[in-house]
Amino acid sequence: MATNNGDVLMLEAAPEATKPWASAANAEVIDALPYIDDDYGNPLIKAEVDRLVEEEMRRSSKKPADFLKDLPPLPKFDFENCPVLGKEYERVRAGKPPVRIDFESRYKHELPPAGKKNDDAAWKQYLHKTQRSLQQKKIELENLEMMSKQGPEIWRQNNHRLEVFLTRMQRLAQEQNEEIEKVNRERKYHQQTTAYELNALSQEWRQLCVKNMEIQSACAVLETQIDSLKREASERGWNLEEKLESVKPLQSQ
């Protein structure tokens, strides 16, 4: 609200220059009292708040594409001591499928063809493949036997380690949740305690604003009356300035 001469009353919004938090340089400042601000339940206020939030996000210096910009860079992996792992790392980065190991041709054995029935080298190669296949089957049987004997106990030990790890992680998560809950309780307590003072100050501010408006209105009425009396005195030919000067000595006595 403004008067005819341009004076701004207290109920009128302050100029934008007095809102440093609204500038783009300070766009990341967050100021909210979620435990006592219940105006968001009003649909009109909610729509306005959502609009301001969207506008703030558009003007924000942080974008979804560079939200990791402030973090230190990842270390560069060096596979000089393990070139096989380096090749595998590059394959995964390139999105290529893994190289399939061909066991069939390695352990598959076939009789020499008819044209090499009397070739000693062909029979020796066939014998070596058969021995490799036999050794492979023997190793598989040993692994199955060891798994049948040691497998259940190994699984129990592994499950026990996983349970211990899970218990530790749950305890850490509970401790973090308790810290978060403690902070939230403190924030709620301080905000609710301060709400009475804020409401009292807000009510006092409204009363002062209304009082200032009443004073401004009364001053405007008095100024109108004075202007009317001056015009009436001028029409009657009275010199008010001389009368006021004659009154001043009397007032001083």
Side-chain angles (χ1 to χ4, degrees):
M1 179 177 179
T3 59
N4 295 330
N5 56 2
D7 294 336
V8 179
L9 297 181
M10 292 181 64
L11 285 181
E12 188 173 359
E16 294 296 328
T18 61
K19 295 182 178 180
W21 59 85
S23 62
N26 300 315
E28 306 304 329
V29 177
I30 300 175
D31 185 12
L33 300 173
Y35 294 103
I36 60 176
D37 289 340
D38 55 355
D39 295 336
Y40 196 70
N42 189 333
L44 298 178
I45 296 180
K46 180 179 182 301
E48 179 64 15
V49 170
D50 293 341
R51 185 190 67 79
L52 293 175
V53 170
E54 293 178 358
E55 180 182 356
E56 185 74 13
M57 292 177 65
R58 287 194 301 268
R59 294 190 296 106
S60 177
S61 59
K62 289 185 178 295
K63 303 298 180 182
D66 61 352
F67 68 98
L68 297 177
K69 181 179 63 176
D70 298 336
L71 298 179
L74 293 175
K76 294 183 179 180
F77 296 101
D78 187 5
F79 300 101
E80 293 182 357
N81 298 328
C82 188
V84 176
L85 185 59
K87 292 181 180 179
E88 186 67 13
Y89 177 76
E90 294 297 334
R91 180 193 66 78
V92 174
R93 286 191 60 187
K96 297 180 181 179
V99 179
R100 184 174 179 272
I101 301 176
D102 188 7
F103 291 101
E104 295 181 0
S105 62
R106 180 178 178 85
Y107 298 107
K108 184 179 180 180
H109 51 88
E110 297 178 354
L111 292 173
K116 295 184 178 181
K117 290 294 183 181
N118 298 324
D119 189 353
D120 293 341
W123 281 103
K124 288 181 180 180
Q125 184 179 4
Y126 171 76
L127 179 61
H128 291 161
K129 288 185 177 181
T130 305
Q131 290 175 346
R132 286 198 299 267
S133 179
L134 180 62
Q135 184 65 25
Q136 174 67 19
K137 297 300 180 183
K138 183 180 178 180
I139 294 174
E140 290 179 358
L141 290 175
E142 291 177 354
N143 289 337
L144 290 175
E145 184 180 358
M146 292 177 61
M147 181 64 68
S148 63
K149 292 182 179 180
Q150 308 295 336
E153 182 62 25
I154 294 175
W155 276 107
R156 281 193 291 269
Q157 294 179 3
N158 183 63
N159 290 337
H160 177 69
R161 287 193 296 269
L162 292 178
E163 289 175 356
V164 172
F165 179 76
L166 176 61
T167 303
R168 180 171 176 269
M169 291 296 102
Q170 289 177 342
R171 185 177 68 255
L172 293 176
Q174 183 179 0
E175 292 176 357
Q176 293 296 325
N177 291 333
E178 290 176 355
E179 290 293 331
I180 294 173
E181 186 66 22
K182 179 181 178 181
V183 172
N184 289 336
R185 285 198 300 267
E186 291 178 355
R187 292 180 61 205
K188 183 176 181 180
Y189 171 77
H190 289 306
Q191 290 184 21
Q192 290 180 344
T193 304
T194 312
Y196 299 103
E197 183 179 358
L198 291 176
N199 292 334
L201 292 175
S202 179
Q203 184 66 22
E204 182 180 357
W205 175 79
R206 292 190 181 92
Q207 293 176 357
L208 291 175
C209 290
V210 173
K211 186 175 181 180
N212 286 344
M213 293 175 62
E214 293 175 352
I215 293 174
Q216 190 74 22
S217 177
C219 290
V221 172
L222 290 176
E223 290 177 356
T224 303
Q225 293 177 355
I226 291 173
D227 293 338
S228 177
L229 293 175
K230 286 182 178 180
R231 286 195 301 271
E232 183 179 354
S234 177
E235 292 175 356
R236 295 185 178 184
W238 296 347
N239 191 349
L240 296 179
E241 294 180 358
E242 294 180 355
K243 293 183 177 295
L244 291 174
E245 290 178 356
S246 62
V247 171
K248 287 180 180 180
L250 297 176
Q251 292 179 347
S252 60
Q253 295 176 358

